[in-house]
Amino acid sequence: MTEPIHITSPADPRLDAYRNIRERDLSAREGIFIGETFIVLEAMLLRPMSIVSMLASSRMTARVHASAMTAQCEAPLYTVDDAVLEAVTGIDLHRGVLAVGRRADFEPCAMSDYAPSTPPRTVLVLEDCNNI
């Protein structure tokens, strides 16, 4: 991984994927998703090749950089001051960490793959469920 890239302008095009995010943007946008919080980033770093880029506030830069290095993630890490972060995202992002990831290809499966073979045979399927 290269060194963190500090960005001072909210208009920088490298930040376009993070621009004016809303709750629904956290789930999916044209084959990508946006992960929020350091804990989510840690989970994303289990598949570092799926990460497109990371954005961290200045106060979170060292922590995010260390984790990305450990995971051998080659995605760029952009860092910004809190004011720039809020100007770009449109929200007060007090947790200070976002990452853009590529959605994995859908792997079709049959219900029988997950159906319990013995009672009770209750299966719960949730589509488009997030933030639980």
Side-chain angles (χ1 to χ4, degrees):
M1 173 181 200
T2 59
E3 290 301 307
I5 302 162
H6 188 70
I7 297 175
T8 57
S9 171
D12 192 303
R14 293 173 290 187
L15 301 177
D16 284 350
Y18 301 98
R19 203 166 305 289
N20 299 315
I21 61 171
R22 291 174 299 284
E23 190 69 27
R24 71 175 192 272
D25 293 327
L26 297 176
S27 60
R29 187 194 310 180
E30 299 173 12
I32 63 169
F33 66 96
I34 299 177
E36 177 189 5
T37 76
F38 185 74
I39 293 170
V40 172
L41 175 62
E42 286 181 314
M44 292 172 70
L45 286 169
L46 295 174
R47 294 186 52 196
M49 298 305 291
S50 68
I51 297 176
V52 176
S53 67
M54 297 166 283
L55 177 62
S57 65
S58 298
R59 63 188 156 74
M60 292 297 291
T61 300
R63 188 173 178 192
V64 171
H65 185 247
S67 292
M69 292 287 289
T70 299
Q72 299 180 356
C73 180
E74 296 182 16
L77 168 57
Y78 304 123
T79 68
V80 295
D81 295 331
D82 286 338
V84 174
L85 186 60
E86 186 172 347
V88 170
T89 62
I91 57 175
D92 177 16
L93 196 67
H94 58 276
R95 292 182 183 110
V97 178
L98 291 171
V100 174
R102 277 183 221 86
R103 241 193 223 293
D105 291 333
F106 178 71
E107 296 178 19
C109 61
M111 281 298 290
S112 59
D113 293 342
Y114 297 97
S117 58
T118 60
R121 291 189 174 107
T122 303
V123 176
L124 175 64
V125 177
L126 301 171
E127 186 174 338
D128 291 329
C129 182
N130 53 20
N131 286 340
I132 35 178

XYZ file of all heavy atoms in Angstrom, residues 11 30 44 46 62 66 70 82 91 95 106 110 112 123-124:
111
model
N -13.803 19.494 -3.515
C -14.122 19.334 -4.934
C -13.210 18.330 -5.645
O -13.418 18.038 -6.826
C -14.019 20.688 -5.634
N -24.687 0.957 -8.069
C -24.045 0.527 -9.312
C -22.905 -0.467 -9.092
O -21.790 -0.278 -9.564
C -23.549 1.752 -10.080
C -24.666 2.698 -10.473
C -24.131 3.985 -11.084
O -22.937 4.061 -11.410
O -24.927 4.912 -11.237
N -14.250 -5.554 5.731
C -13.957 -5.418 4.301
C -12.511 -5.810 3.999
O -12.220 -6.363 2.937
C -14.226 -3.987 3.836
C -15.702 -3.611 3.846
S -15.986 -1.849 3.516
C -15.541 -1.748 1.770
N -10.900 -8.164 5.070
C -10.742 -9.615 4.934
C -10.701 -10.002 3.453
O -10.217 -11.076 3.102
C -11.871 -10.348 5.657
C -11.893 -10.172 7.177
C -13.145 -10.812 7.764
C -10.628 -10.739 7.801
N -3.924 7.062 10.960
C -2.903 6.096 11.388
C -3.504 4.714 11.616
O -2.935 3.697 11.197
C -2.211 6.600 12.655
N -2.603 1.470 9.255
C -1.994 0.279 9.849
C -2.788 -0.980 9.497
O -2.215 -2.008 9.128
C -1.887 0.445 11.364
N -1.558 -4.158 7.158
C -1.592 -5.533 7.649
C -2.337 -6.448 6.679
O -1.924 -7.584 6.444
C -2.258 -5.585 9.044
O -1.479 -4.788 9.939
C -2.359 -7.000 9.566
N -11.890 16.987 9.178
C -13.312 16.786 9.460
C -14.216 17.712 8.646
O -15.272 17.301 8.177
C -13.608 16.949 10.952
C -13.109 15.758 11.765
O -12.937 14.669 11.196
O -12.901 15.936 12.978
N -22.855 14.832 5.542
C -23.287 14.451 6.886
C -22.131 14.628 7.868
O -20.963 14.638 7.461
C -23.806 12.987 6.952
C -22.730 11.999 6.465
C -25.067 12.819 6.153
C -23.108 10.541 6.608
N -17.581 9.149 13.021
C -16.750 7.938 13.140
C -15.495 8.036 12.281
O -14.529 7.331 12.507
C -17.565 6.707 12.774
C -18.654 6.444 13.794
C -19.428 5.196 13.448
N -20.505 5.011 14.387
C -21.780 5.155 14.096
N -22.148 5.501 12.875
N -22.698 4.958 14.989
N -22.979 -12.339 -7.655
C -24.027 -13.141 -7.052
C -23.756 -14.616 -7.319
O -23.468 -15.015 -8.443
C -25.387 -12.749 -7.626
C -26.514 -13.568 -7.079
C -26.935 -13.419 -5.774
C -27.143 -14.507 -7.873
C -27.967 -14.186 -5.261
C -28.178 -15.276 -7.375
C -28.592 -15.111 -6.063
N -29.639 -22.927 -4.235
C -30.977 -23.512 -4.122
C -31.406 -23.468 -2.663
O -30.584 -23.599 -1.753
C -30.966 -24.957 -4.615
N -32.830 -25.647 -1.093
C -32.533 -26.938 -0.471
C -31.135 -26.962 0.145
O -30.864 -27.741 1.050
C -32.682 -28.065 -1.488
O -31.790 -27.855 -2.579
N -37.168 -21.355 7.825
C -36.116 -20.633 7.099
C -36.579 -19.196 6.938
O -37.699 -18.936 6.518
C -35.859 -21.266 5.704
C -34.835 -20.445 4.930
C -35.404 -22.706 5.859
N -35.741 -18.277 7.291
C -36.050 -16.864 7.166
C -35.169 -16.266 6.077
O -33.947 -16.407 6.109
C -35.782 -16.140 8.490
C -35.950 -14.629 8.503
C -37.409 -14.263 8.216
C -35.505 -14.077 9.841
